[in-house]
PDB file of all heavy atoms in Angstrom:
ATOM      1  N   LEU A  15     110.846 103.961  53.779  1.00  0.00           N
ATOM      2  CA  LEU A  15     111.305 104.233  52.430  1.00  0.00           C
ATOM      3  C   LEU A  15     111.721 105.682  52.251  1.00  0.00           C
ATOM      4  O   LEU A  15     112.750 105.998  51.613  1.00  0.00           O
ATOM      5  CB  LEU A  15     110.232 103.857  51.421  1.00  0.00           C
ATOM      6  CG  LEU A  15     110.012 102.337  51.217  1.00  0.00           C
ATOM      7  CD1 LEU A  15     108.654 102.060  50.557  1.00  0.00           C
ATOM      8  CD2 LEU A  15     111.118 101.735  50.391  1.00  0.00           C
ATOM      9  N   ALA A  16     110.926 106.586  52.795  1.00  0.00           N
ATOM     10  CA  ALA A  16     111.268 108.008  52.695  1.00  0.00           C
ATOM     11  C   ALA A  16     112.605 108.313  53.347  1.00  0.00           C
ATOM     12  O   ALA A  16     113.425 109.066  52.806  1.00  0.00           O
ATOM     13  CB  ALA A  16     110.171 108.865  53.319  1.00  0.00           C
ATOM     14  N   GLU A  17     112.833 107.699  54.503  1.00  0.00           N
ATOM     15  CA  GLU A  17     114.093 107.924  55.200  1.00  0.00           C
ATOM     16  C   GLU A  17     115.266 107.345  54.410  1.00  0.00           C
ATOM     17  O   GLU A  17     116.350 107.944  54.310  1.00  0.00           O
ATOM     18  CB  GLU A  17     114.023 107.295  56.596  1.00  0.00           C
ATOM     19  CG  GLU A  17     115.294 107.475  57.430  1.00  0.00           C
ATOM     20  CD  GLU A  17     115.631 108.927  57.737  1.00  0.00           C
ATOM     21  OE1 GLU A  17     114.665 109.742  57.826  1.00  0.00           O
ATOM     22  OE2 GLU A  17     116.819 109.242  57.864  1.00  0.00           O
ATOM     23  N   ALA A  18     115.058 106.171  53.824  1.00  0.00           N
ATOM     24  CA  ALA A  18     116.123 105.485  53.111  1.00  0.00           C
ATOM     25  C   ALA A  18     116.504 106.209  51.824  1.00  0.00           C
ATOM     26  O   ALA A  18     117.684 106.296  51.462  1.00  0.00           O
ATOM     27  CB  ALA A  18     115.737 104.036  52.792  1.00  0.00           C
ATOM     28  N   LEU A  19     115.515 106.743  51.110  1.00  0.00           N
ATOM     29  CA  LEU A  19     115.757 107.369  49.815  1.00  0.00           C
ATOM     30  C   LEU A  19     116.002 108.875  49.900  1.00  0.00           C
ATOM     31  O   LEU A  19     116.133 109.544  48.876  1.00  0.00           O
ATOM     32  CB  LEU A  19     114.579 107.095  48.886  1.00  0.00           C
ATOM     33  CG  LEU A  19     114.313 105.640  48.553  1.00  0.00           C
ATOM     34  CD1 LEU A  19     113.054 105.462  47.703  1.00  0.00           C
ATOM     35  CD2 LEU A  19     115.497 105.004  47.831  1.00  0.00           C
ATOM     36  N   ARG A  20     116.080 109.390  51.125  1.00  0.00           N
ATOM     37  CA  ARG A  20     116.342 110.829  51.325  1.00  0.00           C
ATOM     38  C   ARG A  20     117.640 111.210  50.643  1.00  0.00           C
ATOM     39  O   ARG A  20     118.663 110.559  50.797  1.00  0.00           O
ATOM     40  CB  ARG A  20     116.437 111.094  52.836  1.00  0.00           C
ATOM     41  CG  ARG A  20     116.733 112.543  53.163  1.00  0.00           C
ATOM     42  CD  ARG A  20     117.147 112.659  54.635  1.00  0.00           C
ATOM     43  NE  ARG A  20     116.143 112.143  55.529  1.00  0.00           N
ATOM     44  CZ  ARG A  20     115.167 112.891  56.071  1.00  0.00           C
ATOM     45  NH1 ARG A  20     115.114 114.161  55.770  1.00  0.00           N
ATOM     46  NH2 ARG A  20     114.302 112.354  56.890  1.00  0.00           N
ATOM     47  N   PRO A  21     117.640 112.289  49.851  1.00  0.00           N
ATOM     48  CA  PRO A  21     118.886 112.722  49.183  1.00  0.00           C
ATOM     49  C   PRO A  21     119.923 113.239  50.185  1.00  0.00           C
ATOM     50  O   PRO A  21     119.571 113.699  51.272  1.00  0.00           O
ATOM     51  CB  PRO A  21     118.424 113.839  48.252  1.00  0.00           C
ATOM     52  CG  PRO A  21     117.144 114.319  48.801  1.00  0.00           C
ATOM     53  CD  PRO A  21     116.500 113.147  49.478  1.00  0.00           C
ATOM     54  N   ILE A  22     121.177 113.131  49.788  1.00  0.00           N
ATOM     55  CA  ILE A  22     122.277 113.604  50.645  1.00  0.00           C
ATOM     56  C   ILE A  22     122.811 114.905  50.024  1.00  0.00           C
ATOM     57  O   ILE A  22     123.208 114.930  48.860  1.00  0.00           O
ATOM     58  CB  ILE A  22     123.392 112.560  50.696  1.00  0.00           C
ATOM     59  CG1 ILE A  22     122.844 111.230  51.247  1.00  0.00           C
ATOM     60  CG2 ILE A  22     124.570 113.040  51.555  1.00  0.00           C
ATOM     61  CD1 ILE A  22     123.802 110.060  51.060  1.00  0.00           C
ATOM     62  N   PHE A  23     122.784 115.961  50.817  1.00  0.00           N
ATOM     63  CA  PHE A  23     123.214 117.282  50.350  1.00  0.00           C
ATOM     64  C   PHE A  23     124.548 117.672  50.951  1.00  0.00           C
ATOM     65  O   PHE A  23     124.775 117.438  52.145  1.00  0.00           O
ATOM     66  CB  PHE A  23     122.158 118.351  50.712  1.00  0.00           C
ATOM     67  CG  PHE A  23     120.812 118.135  50.068  1.00  0.00           C
ATOM     68  CD1 PHE A  23     119.780 117.595  50.774  1.00  0.00           C
ATOM     69  CD2 PHE A  23     120.610 118.476  48.746  1.00  0.00           C
ATOM     70  CE1 PHE A  23     118.544 117.387  50.204  1.00  0.00           C
ATOM     71  CE2 PHE A  23     119.387 118.278  48.141  1.00  0.00           C
ATOM     72  CZ  PHE A  23     118.352 117.729  48.869  1.00  0.00           C
ATOM     73  N   GLU A  24     125.395 118.266  50.167  1.00  0.00           N
ATOM     74  CA  GLU A  24     126.704 118.760  50.624  1.00  0.00           C
ATOM     75  C   GLU A  24     126.829 120.226  50.266  1.00  0.00           C
ATOM     76  O   GLU A  24     126.657 120.610  49.114  1.00  0.00           O
ATOM     77  CB  GLU A  24     127.831 117.954  49.991  1.00  0.00           C
ATOM     78  CG  GLU A  24     129.229 118.382  50.433  1.00  0.00           C
ATOM     79  CD  GLU A  24     130.336 117.597  49.763  1.00  0.00           C
ATOM     80  OE1 GLU A  24     130.061 116.454  49.313  1.00  0.00           O
ATOM     81  OE2 GLU A  24     131.467 118.115  49.663  1.00  0.00           O
ATOM     82  N   TYR A  25     127.116 121.013  51.281  1.00  0.00           N
ATOM     83  CA  TYR A  25     127.234 122.462  51.107  1.00  0.00           C
ATOM     84  C   TYR A  25     128.671 122.918  51.341  1.00  0.00           C
ATOM     85  O   TYR A  25     129.417 122.256  52.101  1.00  0.00           O
ATOM     86  CB  TYR A  25     126.303 123.231  52.031  1.00  0.00           C
ATOM     87  CG  TYR A  25     124.831 123.190  51.662  1.00  0.00           C
ATOM     88  CD1 TYR A  25     124.027 122.133  52.049  1.00  0.00           C
ATOM     89  CD2 TYR A  25     124.277 124.216  50.897  1.00  0.00           C
ATOM     90  CE1 TYR A  25     122.673 122.116  51.698  1.00  0.00           C
ATOM     91  CE2 TYR A  25     122.935 124.204  50.559  1.00  0.00           C
ATOM     92  CZ  TYR A  25     122.134 123.150  50.960  1.00  0.00           C
ATOM     93  OH  TYR A  25     120.816 123.121  50.613  1.00  0.00           O
ATOM     94  N   GLU A  26     129.022 124.028  50.739  1.00  0.00           N
ATOM     95  CA  GLU A  26     130.302 124.675  51.018  1.00  0.00           C
ATOM     96  C   GLU A  26     130.051 126.154  51.355  1.00  0.00           C
ATOM     97  O   GLU A  26     129.153 126.772  50.781  1.00  0.00           O
ATOM     98  CB  GLU A  26     131.242 124.638  49.789  1.00  0.00           C
ATOM     99  CG  GLU A  26     131.916 123.283  49.591  1.00  0.00           C
ATOM    100  CD  GLU A  26     132.877 123.319  48.411  1.00  0.00           C
ATOM    101  OE1 GLU A  26     133.001 124.390  47.760  1.00  0.00           O
ATOM    102  OE2 GLU A  26     133.505 122.298  48.140  1.00  0.00           O
ATOM    103  N   THR A  27     130.861 126.659  52.260  1.00  0.00           N
ATOM    104  CA  THR A  27     130.759 128.097  52.597  1.00  0.00           C
ATOM    105  C   THR A  27     131.855 128.843  51.831  1.00  0.00           C
ATOM    106  O   THR A  27     133.022 128.486  51.893  1.00  0.00           O
ATOM    107  CB  THR A  27     130.959 128.314  54.105  1.00  0.00           C
ATOM    108  OG1 THR A  27     129.910 127.599  54.808  1.00  0.00           O
ATOM    109  CG2 THR A  27     130.885 129.766  54.462  1.00  0.00           C
ATOM    110  N   HIS A  28     131.422 129.873  51.113  1.00  0.00           N
ATOM    111  CA  HIS A  28     132.349 130.710  50.380  1.00  0.00           C
ATOM    112  C   HIS A  28     132.335 132.123  50.921  1.00  0.00           C
ATOM    113  O   HIS A  28     131.265 132.676  51.208  1.00  0.00           O
ATOM    114  CB  HIS A  28     131.986 130.698  48.883  1.00  0.00           C
ATOM    115  CG  HIS A  28     132.245 129.380  48.231  1.00  0.00           C
ATOM    116  ND1 HIS A  28     133.342 129.145  47.446  1.00  0.00           N
ATOM    117  CD2 HIS A  28     131.530 128.213  48.227  1.00  0.00           C
ATOM    118  CE1 HIS A  28     133.320 127.915  47.001  1.00  0.00           C
ATOM    119  NE2 HIS A  28     132.236 127.332  47.462  1.00  0.00           N
ATOM    120  N   LYS A  29     133.518 132.703  51.047  1.00  0.00           N
ATOM    121  CA  LYS A  29     133.644 134.034  51.618  1.00  0.00           C
ATOM    122  C   LYS A  29     133.757 135.071  50.507  1.00  0.00           C
ATOM    123  O   LYS A  29     134.491 134.903  49.541  1.00  0.00           O
ATOM    124  CB  LYS A  29     134.862 134.111  52.527  1.00  0.00           C
ATOM    125  CG  LYS A  29     134.748 133.188  53.744  1.00  0.00           C
ATOM    126  CD  LYS A  29     135.965 133.324  54.662  1.00  0.00           C
ATOM    127  CE  LYS A  29     135.829 132.411  55.873  1.00  0.00           C
ATOM    128  NZ  LYS A  29     136.984 132.537  56.782  1.00  0.00           N
ATOM    129  N   GLY A  30     133.040 136.131  50.669  1.00  0.00           N
ATOM    130  CA  GLY A  30     133.090 137.262  49.712  1.00  0.00           C
ATOM    131  C   GLY A  30     133.149 138.564  50.454  1.00  0.00           C
ATOM    132  O   GLY A  30     133.121 138.639  51.693  1.00  0.00           O
ATOM    133  N   GLU A  31     133.313 139.609  49.704  1.00  0.00           N
ATOM    134  CA  GLU A  31     133.358 140.946  50.312  1.00  0.00           C
ATOM    135  C   GLU A  31     132.809 141.995  49.344  1.00  0.00           C
ATOM    136  O   GLU A  31     132.812 141.807  48.112  1.00  0.00           O
ATOM    137  CB  GLU A  31     134.774 141.326  50.710  1.00  0.00           C
ATOM    138  CG  GLU A  31     135.750 141.405  49.556  1.00  0.00           C
ATOM    139  CD  GLU A  31     137.191 141.753  50.029  1.00  0.00           C
ATOM    140  OE1 GLU A  31     137.543 141.332  51.159  1.00  0.00           O
ATOM    141  OE2 GLU A  31     137.896 142.425  49.282  1.00  0.00           O
ATOM    142  N   THR A  32     132.282 143.067  49.941  1.00  0.00           N
ATOM    143  CA  THR A  32     131.863 144.243  49.181  1.00  0.00           C
ATOM    144  C   THR A  32     132.774 145.395  49.533  1.00  0.00           C
ATOM    145  O   THR A  32     132.960 145.712  50.716  1.00  0.00           O
ATOM    146  CB  THR A  32     130.407 144.589  49.527  1.00  0.00           C
ATOM    147  OG1 THR A  32     129.544 143.508  49.148  1.00  0.00           O
ATOM    148  CG2 THR A  32     129.935 145.851  48.776  1.00  0.00           C
ATOM    149  N   GLU A  33     133.332 145.985  48.505  1.00  0.00           N
ATOM    150  CA  GLU A  33     134.233 147.131  48.710  1.00  0.00           C
ATOM    151  C   GLU A  33     133.472 148.403  48.306  1.00  0.00           C
ATOM    152  O   GLU A  33     132.937 148.506  47.195  1.00  0.00           O
ATOM    153  CB  GLU A  33     135.485 146.999  47.861  1.00  0.00           C
ATOM    154  CG  GLU A  33     136.449 148.178  48.040  1.00  0.00           C
ATOM    155  CD  GLU A  33     137.697 148.012  47.190  1.00  0.00           C
ATOM    156  OE1 GLU A  33     137.802 147.024  46.435  1.00  0.00           O
ATOM    157  OE2 GLU A  33     138.602 148.914  47.282  1.00  0.00           O
ATOM    158  N   THR A  34     133.409 149.351  49.263  1.00  0.00           N
ATOM    159  CA  THR A  34     132.685 150.601  49.004  1.00  0.00           C
ATOM    160  C   THR A  34     133.653 151.754  49.176  1.00  0.00           C
ATOM    161  O   THR A  34     134.309 151.910  50.228  1.00  0.00           O
ATOM    162  CB  THR A  34     131.506 150.756  49.982  1.00  0.00           C
ATOM    163  OG1 THR A  34     130.649 149.645  49.876  1.00  0.00           O
ATOM    164  CG2 THR A  34     130.745 152.066  49.697  1.00  0.00           C
ATOM    165  N   ILE A  35     133.783 152.595  48.138  1.00  0.00           N
ATOM    166  CA  ILE A  35     134.668 153.772  48.170  1.00  0.00           C
ATOM    167  C   ILE A  35     133.790 155.020  48.118  1.00  0.00           C
ATOM    168  O   ILE A  35     132.992 155.200  47.166  1.00  0.00           O
ATOM    169  CB  ILE A  35     135.645 153.774  47.010  1.00  0.00           C
ATOM    170  CG1 ILE A  35     136.541 152.506  47.048  1.00  0.00           C
ATOM    171  CG2 ILE A  35     136.542 155.008  47.038  1.00  0.00           C
ATOM    172  CD1 ILE A  35     137.447 152.345  45.858  1.00  0.00           C
ATOM    173  N   THR A  36     133.895 155.818  49.140  1.00  0.00           N
ATOM    174  CA  THR A  36     133.093 157.054  49.225  1.00  0.00           C
ATOM    175  C   THR A  36     134.001 158.252  49.002  1.00  0.00           C
ATOM    176  O   THR A  36     134.988 158.428  49.728  1.00  0.00           O
ATOM    177  CB  THR A  36     132.388 157.156  50.595  1.00  0.00           C
ATOM    178  OG1 THR A  36     131.588 155.970  50.777  1.00  0.00           O
ATOM    179  CG2 THR A  36     131.509 158.394  50.637  1.00  0.00           C
ATOM    180  N   ARG A  37     133.664 159.062  48.006  1.00  0.00           N
ATOM    181  CA  ARG A  37     134.451 160.269  47.685  1.00  0.00           C
ATOM    182  C   ARG A  37     133.575 161.476  47.899  1.00  0.00           C
ATOM    183  O   ARG A  37     132.523 161.646  47.277  1.00  0.00           O
ATOM    184  CB  ARG A  37     134.941 160.186  46.228  1.00  0.00           C
ATOM    185  CG  ARG A  37     135.843 161.327  45.796  1.00  0.00           C
ATOM    186  CD  ARG A  37     136.268 161.104  44.337  1.00  0.00           C
ATOM    187  NE  ARG A  37     137.072 162.186  43.812  1.00  0.00           N
ATOM    188  CZ  ARG A  37     138.400 162.277  43.969  1.00  0.00           C
ATOM    189  NH1 ARG A  37     139.024 161.322  44.663  1.00  0.00           N
ATOM    190  NH2 ARG A  37     139.058 163.297  43.462  1.00  0.00           N
ATOM    191  N   THR A  38     134.040 162.335  48.819  1.00  0.00           N
ATOM    192  CA  THR A  38     133.291 163.563  49.145  1.00  0.00           C
ATOM    193  C   THR A  38     134.071 164.776  48.663  1.00  0.00           C
ATOM    194  O   THR A  38     135.261 164.928  48.979  1.00  0.00           O
ATOM    195  CB  THR A  38     133.086 163.652  50.660  1.00  0.00           C
ATOM    196  OG1 THR A  38     132.440 162.456  51.120  1.00  0.00           O
ATOM    197  CG2 THR A  38     132.224 164.865  51.036  1.00  0.00           C
ATOM    198  N   CYS A  39     133.435 165.649  47.853  1.00  0.00           N
ATOM    199  CA  CYS A  39     134.099 166.795  47.257  1.00  0.00           C
ATOM    200  C   CYS A  39     133.277 168.060  47.453  1.00  0.00           C
ATOM    201  O   CYS A  39     132.030 168.023  47.517  1.00  0.00           O
ATOM    202  CB  CYS A  39     134.295 166.581  45.772  1.00  0.00           C
ATOM    203  SG  CYS A  39     135.333 165.151  45.350  1.00  0.00           S
ATOM    204  N   THR A  40     134.014 169.183  47.516  1.00  0.00           N
ATOM    205  CA  THR A  40     133.371 170.497  47.524  1.00  0.00           C
ATOM    206  C   THR A  40     133.637 171.189  46.228  1.00  0.00           C
ATOM    207  O   THR A  40     134.439 170.745  45.414  1.00  0.00           O
ATOM    208  CB  THR A  40     133.904 171.338  48.711  1.00  0.00           C
ATOM    209  OG1 THR A  40     135.335 171.485  48.560  1.00  0.00           O
ATOM    210  CG2 THR A  40     133.605 170.667  50.042  1.00  0.00           C
ATOM    211  N   ILE A  41     132.981 172.350  46.036  1.00  0.00           N
ATOM    212  CA  ILE A  41     133.074 173.025  44.736  1.00  0.00           C
ATOM    213  C   ILE A  41     134.461 173.504  44.390  1.00  0.00           C
ATOM    214  O   ILE A  41     134.842 173.662  43.244  1.00  0.00           O
ATOM    215  CB  ILE A  41     132.090 174.243  44.734  1.00  0.00           C
ATOM    216  CG1 ILE A  41     131.848 174.704  43.285  1.00  0.00           C
ATOM    217  CG2 ILE A  41     132.580 175.347  45.642  1.00  0.00           C
ATOM    218  CD1 ILE A  41     131.119 173.736  42.450  1.00  0.00           C
ATOM    219  N   ASP A  42     135.297 173.745  45.451  1.00  0.00           N
ATOM    220  CA  ASP A  42     136.619 174.231  45.159  1.00  0.00           C
ATOM    221  C   ASP A  42     137.602 173.129  44.777  1.00  0.00           C
ATOM    222  O   ASP A  42     138.778 173.343  44.583  1.00  0.00           O
ATOM    223  CB  ASP A  42     137.167 175.064  46.332  1.00  0.00           C
ATOM    224  CG  ASP A  42     137.355 174.171  47.585  1.00  0.00           C
ATOM    225  OD1 ASP A  42     137.055 172.965  47.507  1.00  0.00           O
ATOM    226  OD2 ASP A  42     137.762 174.685  48.645  1.00  0.00           O
ATOM    227  N   GLY A  43     137.086 171.881  44.733  1.00  0.00           N
ATOM    228  CA  GLY A  43     137.907 170.743  44.299  1.00  0.00           C
ATOM    229  C   GLY A  43     138.543 169.963  45.394  1.00  0.00           C
ATOM    230  O   GLY A  43     139.223 168.959  45.155  1.00  0.00           O
ATOM    231  N   GLY A  44     138.355 170.382  46.604  1.00  0.00           N
ATOM    232  CA  GLY A  44     138.895 169.601  47.711  1.00  0.00           C
ATOM    233  C   GLY A  44     138.098 168.338  47.939  1.00  0.00           C
ATOM    234  O   GLY A  44     136.881 168.380  48.047  1.00  0.00           O
ATOM    235  N   CYS A  45     138.770 167.200  47.942  1.00  0.00           N
ATOM    236  CA  CYS A  45     138.077 165.904  48.090  1.00  0.00           C
ATOM    237  C   CYS A  45     138.736 165.043  49.143  1.00  0.00           C
ATOM    238  O   CYS A  45     139.942 165.134  49.384  1.00  0.00           O
ATOM    239  CB  CYS A  45     138.088 165.149  46.761  1.00  0.00           C
ATOM    240  SG  CYS A  45     137.228 165.962  45.416  1.00  0.00           S
ATOM    241  N   THR A  46     137.904 164.242  49.773  1.00  0.00           N
ATOM    242  CA  THR A  46     138.394 163.192  50.690  1.00  0.00           C
ATOM    243  C   THR A  46     137.805 161.880  50.241  1.00  0.00           C
ATOM    244  O   THR A  46     136.704 161.839  49.642  1.00  0.00           O
ATOM    245  CB  THR A  46     137.976 163.500  52.143  1.00  0.00           C
ATOM    246  OG1 THR A  46     136.549 163.560  52.248  1.00  0.00           O
ATOM    247  CG2 THR A  46     138.609 164.822  52.629  1.00  0.00           C
ATOM    248  N   GLU A  47     138.509 160.797  50.555  1.00  0.00           N
ATOM    249  CA  GLU A  47     138.058 159.483  50.093  1.00  0.00           C
ATOM    250  C   GLU A  47     138.235 158.471  51.227  1.00  0.00           C
ATOM    251  O   GLU A  47     139.255 158.468  51.916  1.00  0.00           O
ATOM    252  CB  GLU A  47     138.875 159.072  48.865  1.00  0.00           C
ATOM    253  CG  GLU A  47     138.292 157.882  48.118  1.00  0.00           C
ATOM    254  CD  GLU A  47     139.019 157.654  46.796  1.00  0.00           C
ATOM    255  OE1 GLU A  47     138.600 158.264  45.786  1.00  0.00           O
ATOM    256  OE2 GLU A  47     140.012 156.878  46.795  1.00  0.00           O
ATOM    257  N   SER A  48     137.245 157.632  51.397  1.00  0.00           N
ATOM    258  CA  SER A  48     137.321 156.557  52.387  1.00  0.00           C
ATOM    259  C   SER A  48     136.886 155.239  51.779  1.00  0.00           C
ATOM    260  O   SER A  48     136.059 155.210  50.836  1.00  0.00           O
ATOM    261  CB  SER A  48     136.407 156.895  53.604  1.00  0.00           C
ATOM    262  OG  SER A  48     135.053 156.970  53.190  1.00  0.00           O
TER     263      SER A  48
END
């Protein structure tokens, strides 16, 4: 009975991303960004 009544699960894979922007500056105002 346990085997027969076992629920059926369906999964999907979803793709995501994390965007990270790093800004490095000095006191004279010069900056770089990656």
Side-chain angles (χ1 to χ4, degrees):
L15 287 162
E17 181 62 30
L19 297 176
R20 179 195 301 269
I22 302 168
F23 297 101
E24 181 182 336
Y25 285 86
E26 282 183 0
T27 299
H28 290 260
K29 296 182 178 181
E31 62 181 33
T32 298
E33 181 179 2
T34 303
I35 301 175
T36 304
R37 184 179 177 84
T38 304
C39 299
T40 59
I41 196 67
D42 64 1
C45 297
T46 59
E47 194 171 272
S48 63

